[in-house]
């Protein structure tokens, strides 16, 4: 995904609601978050960082963990 239009199209293709999924990780681009206000977007970034940290620590405990589908 290299543009906002592609991001919107990917959300549409996969039936992802941007109101209930306020963050995305893009390969080679990093994390993007959003919200109704700038403060909400920052809080969503903090939540995403915490979730990523927990995922990393979980893989340290059990490297065989598979992604949730």
């Amino acid at each position: 995904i290299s543009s906002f239009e592609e991001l919107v199209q990917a959300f549409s293709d996969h039936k992802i609601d941007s109101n209930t999924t306020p963050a995305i990780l893009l390969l080679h681009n990093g994390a993007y978050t959003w919200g109704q206000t700038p403060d909400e977007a920052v809080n969503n970034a903090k939540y995403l960082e915490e979730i990523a940290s927990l995922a990393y620590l979980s893989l340290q405990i059990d490297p065989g963990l598979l992604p949730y589908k």
Side-chain angles (χ1 to χ4, degrees):
I1 295 178
S2 61
S3 70
F4 178 74
E5 290 80 18
E6 289 180 59
L7 179 63
V8 170
Q9 187 62 48
F11 269 54
S12 177
D13 291 348
H14 296 283
K15 297 178 177 50
I16 299 170
D17 180 2
S18 63
N19 293 314
T20 59
T21 307
I24 190 168
L25 294 174
L26 298 177
L27 183 63
H28 305 296
N29 286 311
Y32 292 86
T33 63
W34 50 89
Q36 295 296 319
T37 66
D39 285 340
E40 188 177 317
V42 169
N43 282 334
N44 289 335
K46 291 177 184 178
Y47 297 141
L48 181 60
E49 286 292 327
E50 184 64 23
I51 291 167
S53 177
L54 292 171
Y56 175 78
L57 293 172
S58 296
L59 286 171
Q60 299 309 300
I61 294 168
D62 183 357
L65 286 175
L66 298 175
Y68 177 77
K69 292 185 179 187

